[in-house]
Amino acid sequence: MKIVMLGAPGAGKGTQAKMIADKYQIPHISTGDIFRANISNGTELGKKAKTYMDQGLLVPDELVVDLVVDRVQQDDCKKGYILDGFPRTIPQAEALTEALKKLGEKVDFAINVEVPDENIVKRMSGRRACVSCGSTYHIVYNPTKVEGVCDKCGNELILREDDKPETVKKRLDVYHEQTQPLIEYYTNEGVLVEVDGTKDMKDVFSAIVDILGA
Ligand code: ADP
Ligand code: ADP
Ligand code: ZN
């Protein structure tokens, strides 16, 4: 099962993608997590990506497409995978479709998690992220057992630099301009499904499971 998660920044893509990956035993591939890992390891890719990410802009397509195309051909992706944060532009989606076509494959579901902009800023300022294992929490909607400490791995949580309100507004603009057109793209591919992302996390997840099948 090959799944693409669509939705605004903060819509809950990562939260749902992790639960889907656990249930269906497929890898969760988050390009944001890959970039953040590169930044903390001080790689060349990390250095390049950071200048864009800090401004709320997208990293150029050429820095992300090959990375994902390579990743989905690794052994653990044979039974499927869930892409979270990719594609984010029409050229990225086209590159993915082309690469999969060569392998005789296609995306099975593009899940659009719908959340209006009004809800997003509140969600983002409450988001806390673990840079070690990629888990995300929310100080109100999904708090950790011990404040500031990751339930999964015990490392310290941070408020992402790009989750501050000014940057979130920029990211929402970028989303509407560059990423939202993917809804139409995947509708035309015949694989788009939508869920109401304003509901409780568990309810969003059951709506997704209803679509994917148990
Ligand atoms: P969110 O979870 O809020 O949607 P991500 O963690 O997916 O954010 O992405 C953080 C940042 O990383 C983005 O704002 C962008 O700068 C960069 N990024 C992640 N994935 C991509 C991509 N597919 N194309 C371009 N930039 C990306
Ligand atoms: P994305 O990957 O789309 O950027 P996240 O999954 O990181 O979004 O979620 C953004 C923030 O909102 C996190 O703090 C997360 O805990 C919280 N969140 C996710 N889903 C919900 C939900 N259904 N209701 C309320 N808060 C949520
Ligand atoms: Zn952690």
Side-chain angles (χ1 to χ4, degrees), residues 8-15 123 127 136-138 141-142 197 199-201 204:
K13 301 181 298 295
T15 301
R123 276 201 191 178
R127 169 155 72 177
T136 55
Y137 303 91
H138 191 283
Y141 308 127
N142 183 24
K199 298 232 169 80
D200 196 83
M201 290 172 203
V204 179

Side-chain angles (χ1 to χ4, degrees), residues 127-170:
R127 169 155 72 177
R128 295 295 179 272
C130 173
V131 192
S132 272
C133 76
S135 296
T136 55
Y137 303 91
H138 191 283
I139 51 176
V140 178
Y141 308 127
N142 183 24
T144 46
K145 295 198 182 76
V146 180
E147 200 186 310
V149 178
C150 180
D151 285 349
K152 260 212 181 123
C153 75
N155 276 291
E156 191 195 344
L157 302 180
I158 59 147
L159 167 63
R160 277 166 46 180
E161 196 58 43
D162 61 344
D163 278 353
K164 300 192 170 146
E166 318 78 71
T167 319
V168 169
K169 293 210 180 78
K170 179 72 203 166

Side-chain angles (χ1 to χ4, degrees), residues 7-11 13-14 30-33 35-36 49 52-54 56-61 64 68 84-89 92 124 127 160 162-163 171:
K13 301 181 298 295
S30 156
T31 44
D33 286 350
F35 287 136
R36 281 183 290 276
Y52 298 95
M53 291 168 75
D54 284 350
L57 300 173
L58 294 182
V59 173
D61 292 338
V64 64
V68 174
D84 164 19
F86 182 95
R88 253 190 168 86
T89 64
Q92 289 181 18
M124 301 300 245
R127 169 155 72 177
R160 277 166 46 180
D162 61 344
D163 278 353
R171 289 164 65 200

